[in-house]
């Protein structure tokens, strides 16, 4: 991409009142943005309103500064031994066909990541990709499920796509990066709601750097864009649009993850959900999706079969990390009393007849072995398969 071409694309995107739909009509009528701006208001009015045509005639005040900043960012991405920087525009060969086929494909996407994926010339997102989303405040078991599913599905050949948010998103990215990627395709792709010159949330800065080494970070927002609340629901259409399906691991009824699931269904993609406890708020969104027709999944193989993807899957139990070694009866009775629903200490005292101090010691040891998860609100939950 040349500097004048970049400036024309940025001018089209910065023009107030001209959204993606109007911009696509202009591109379809006149070709590249340079050709659009070579026309006049009368020609533009065949595609857009009079007000939009007048806006197109005015050069945005911030255009020159943003063009220079973006051009320098592209040049910085050519440094050796550093993540590459790139831009893919609507119609480029590297623009993913799956996203292009959606109702509202972004005009321009910024890429940051491994050079072979940014500068390879082929679509940056593999055809075999799965979105994984969920709660920003998951249970310990939910976060573990996300890591296990992501690890198994990536080893089966799927690219894991998520949004770099705290909680399930971060766990999904981490799971995809557990084993050394082969480099043939991105291990994971993070679709972010800010400019790529910043990381949000800051707690995921190191994770973002790992993704940049073995995968990609992608944004439709110009450099310098802060974490504006409205941008995150909007970017969800990219998460679902790049993927064959969307797996919701844990989600409350008001979760933004349900937006991604709805978009996936509208885009004709598969929707999957992992069930949980009927008492857990983080499971209610998944249960609602299942009632609406989402595929209930208990293992990575369930997802692979639904996608008709027959690559060999990793033999990792998706919902079990705890040791299979037999427990002493005094500890097994605690697990049996705990069951698989969240339970408080007082209720566990009543079920077992043990005093609170003894129970706390045993629960701590079971937690260290990975058999029990400690939840918010002083609750405990058994880890493993029922």
């Amino acid at each position: 991409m040349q500097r004048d071409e970049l400036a024309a694309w940025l001018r089209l995107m910065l023009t107030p009142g001209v959204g993606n739909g109007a911009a696509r009509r202009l591109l379809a009528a006149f070709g590249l943005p340079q050709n659009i701006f070579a026309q006049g208001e009368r020609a533009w009015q065949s595609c857009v309103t009079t007000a939009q045509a007048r806006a197109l005639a005015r050069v945005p005040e911030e255009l020159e500064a943003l063009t220079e900043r973006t051009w320098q960012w592209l040049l910085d991405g050519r440094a050796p031994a550093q993540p590459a920087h790139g831009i893919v525009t609507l119609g480029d060969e590297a623009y993913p066909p799956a996203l292009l086929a959606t109702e509202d494909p972004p005009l321009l996407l910024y890429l940051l990541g491994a050079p072979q994926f940014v500068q390879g010339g082929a679509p940056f997102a593999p055809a075999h990709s799965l979105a994984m989303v969920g709660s920003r405040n998951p249970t310990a078991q939910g976060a573990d499920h996300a890591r296990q599913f992501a690890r198994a599905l990536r080893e089966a050949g799927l690219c894991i796509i998520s949004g770099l948010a705290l909680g399930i998103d971060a766990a999904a990215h981490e799971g995809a990066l557990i084993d050394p990627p082969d480099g043939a395709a991105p291990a994971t792709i993070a679709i972010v709601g800010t400019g790529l010159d910043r990381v949000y949330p800051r707690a995921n800065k190191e994770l973002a750097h790992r993704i940049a080494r073995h995968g990609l970070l992608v944004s439709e927002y110009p450099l310098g864009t802060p974490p504006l609340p409205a941008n995150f629901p909007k970017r969800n259409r990219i998460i679902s649009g790049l993927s064959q399906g969307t797996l919701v691991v844990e989600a409350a009824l008001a979760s933004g993850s349900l937006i991604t699931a709805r978009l996936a269904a509208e885009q004709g993609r598969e929707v999957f959900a992992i069930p949980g406890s009927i008492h857990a708020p983080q499971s209610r969104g998944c249960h609602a999706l299942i009632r609406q027709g989402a595929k209930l999944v208990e293992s990575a193989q369930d997802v692979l079969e639904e996608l008709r993807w027959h690559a060999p899957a990793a033999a990792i139990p998706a919902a079990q990390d705890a040791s299979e070694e037999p427990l002493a009866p005094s500890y097994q009775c605690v697990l049996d009393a705990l069951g698989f629903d969240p339970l408080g200490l007082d209720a566990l005292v009543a079920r077992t007849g043990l005093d609170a101090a003894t129970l706390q010691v045993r629960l701590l040891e079971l937690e260290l072995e990975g058999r029990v998860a400690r939840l918010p609100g002083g609750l405990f939950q058994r880890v493993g398969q029922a």
Side-chain angles (χ1 to χ4, degrees):
M1 177 180 289
Q2 301 299 314
R3 195 180 189 281
D4 57 347
E5 180 185 359
L6 171 65
W9 277 103
L10 292 177
R11 178 178 173 182
L12 182 61
M13 295 181 67
L14 290 173
T15 301
V18 177
N20 283 357
R24 286 195 297 270
R25 291 195 297 274
L26 290 164
L27 290 166
F30 303 113
L32 293 173
Q34 299 101 305
N35 296 334
I36 294 174
F37 291 110
Q39 312 299 317
E41 288 188 41
R42 180 171 297 179
W44 295 332
Q45 288 180 39
S46 65
C47 303
V48 299
T49 66
T50 300
Q52 288 172 324
R54 289 173 180 167
L56 286 164
R58 295 189 292 270
V59 178
E61 293 181 2
E62 65 270 37
L63 176 62
E64 181 57 34
L66 182 60
T67 300
E68 178 58 30
R69 181 176 187 175
T70 307
W71 184 248
Q72 188 58 52
W73 180 80
L74 288 171
L75 295 178
D76 292 344
R78 298 177 184 176
Q82 295 291 329
H85 300 169
I87 290 177
V88 172
T89 61
L90 203 67
D92 282 355
E93 291 184 0
Y95 200 100
L99 188 58
L100 189 63
T102 60
E103 182 179 351
D104 185 25
L107 301 182
L108 181 153
L109 290 167
Y110 299 79
L111 310 181
L112 187 157
Q116 66 267 34
F117 309 132
V118 175
Q119 302 164 349
F124 62 82
H128 300 293
S129 301
L130 183 81
M132 288 185 62
V133 296
S135 172
R136 285 175 168 79
N137 299 291
T139 65
Q141 189 168 4
D144 184 61
H145 287 174
R147 292 187 194 93
Q148 293 281 6
F149 268 85
R151 182 182 187 183
L153 291 166
R154 192 195 69 77
E155 289 189 350
L158 297 179
C159 173
I160 302 302
I161 299 177
S162 197
L164 197 64
L166 296 174
I168 294 299
D169 285 21
H173 291 305
E174 289 166 356
L177 295 168
I178 286 175
D179 300 304
D182 58 17
T188 186
I189 297 175
I191 312 299
V192 304
T194 65
L196 286 185
D197 53 345
R198 59 180 66 200
V199 175
Y200 180 84
R202 298 297 296 173
N204 283 343
K205 183 176 181 180
E206 176 54 34
L207 175 59
H209 290 168
R210 290 172 58 204
I211 294 171
R213 290 195 296 270
H214 302 293
L216 284 170
L217 292 103
V218 179
S219 177
E220 67 176 314
Y221 298 109
L223 300 180
T225 301
L228 302 174
N231 289 350
F232 293 91
K234 185 179 178 184
R235 63 88 194 265
N236 289 349
R237 79 192 194 287
I238 304 175
I239 296 175
S240 58
L242 286 173
S243 310
Q244 290 177 275
T246 293
L247 172 61
V248 183
V249 179
E250 277 188 346
L253 285 173
S255 171
S257 305
L258 301 193
I259 298 175
T260 310
R262 175 179 56 79
L263 291 167
E266 291 174 354
Q267 293 164 343
R269 311 298 201 258
E270 300 290 344
V271 179
F272 307 95
I274 298 176
S277 167
I278 61 173
H279 303 293
Q282 295 95 331
S283 297
R284 290 174 186 163
C286 292
H287 294 167
L289 290 173
I290 292 168
R291 285 195 296 271
Q292 294 163 14
K295 171 76 174 181
L296 185 154
V297 297
E298 298 175 313
S299 70
Q301 192 61 37
D302 291 338
V303 176
L304 298 172
E305 289 174 359
E306 191 70 16
L307 295 179
R308 296 178 176 82
W309 180 241
H310 300 298
I316 301 173
Q320 187 171 356
D321 245 358
S323 168
E324 294 299 332
E325 305 247 345
L327 273 175
S330 59
Y331 288 86
Q332 186 63 49
C333 75
V334 175
L335 281 187
D336 292 342
L338 184 57
F340 288 89
D341 285 335
L343 198 67
L345 187 64
D346 290 343
L348 202 50
V349 167
R351 287 187 183 183
T352 62
L354 298 172
D355 62 84
T358 300
L359 263 179
Q360 286 178 330
V361 170
R362 292 183 184 177
L363 285 168
L364 177 59
E365 293 179 2
L366 290 167
E367 184 181 358
L368 293 173
E369 286 189 13
R371 297 177 186 264
V372 167
R374 189 180 300 266
L375 309 181
L379 300 177
F380 299 88
Q381 187 171 25
R382 186 172 176 177
V383 175
Q385 296 179 351

